[in-house]
Amino acid sequence: MIALIAIAGGLGAVARYWTDTWLKRLGFSGLWSTAVINVIGAVFLGAIISGGFGALISAVLGAGFCGGFTTFSTASVETGRLLLARRAGYAVGYMVAMCVLSVCSVFLGTLLGDLFR
């Protein structure tokens, strides 16, 4: 199981890189591409949680793929850079918006997972 989670984590990281590159080509800044990726991952994780998958599939997709795809640490670094640049209001707004959107996205994902159960 550990090997499968590790492989899925690597695939999630690659998917994150590709998605980030694509979003930046569309004009999203680093901050907002990270937020969009975290929101997408939150929807997917919510669907996994409520989708009725077994423990192995849930761990591989949830901890593995979603863990590699989403990144709270990058969002934290980006927020820290805003604070260092003395843009505290923007930093707080960004972090609050990303967290609220991510939590709402998990809820949306659980609803979607329930539909396909």
Side-chain angles (χ1 to χ4, degrees), residues 14-92:
V14 170
R16 180 196 188 299
Y17 174 77
W18 286 341
T19 305
D20 184 58
T21 300
W22 178 71
L23 288 169
K24 286 178 180 170
R25 284 185 189 151
L26 291 177
F28 286 83
S29 73
L31 290 171
W32 295 108
S33 67
T34 299
V36 168
I37 288 166
N38 285 342
V39 165
I40 292 168
V43 170
F44 189 55
L45 184 58
I48 293 165
I49 289 168
S50 68
F53 299 102
L56 176 65
I57 299 292
S58 294
V60 169
L61 293 177
F65 186 83
C66 288
F69 184 71
T70 61
T71 175
F72 188 76
S73 58
T74 300
S76 298
V77 167
E78 291 167 344
T79 303
R81 287 182 180 152
L82 288 171
L83 291 170
L84 289 172
R86 299 182 190 270
R87 299 182 67 193
Y90 193 72
V92 170

Side-chain angles (χ1 to χ4, degrees), residues 1-13 60 64-65:
M1 177 159 83
I2 303 257
L4 292 174
I5 291 171
I7 291 167
L11 293 172
V60 169
F65 186 83

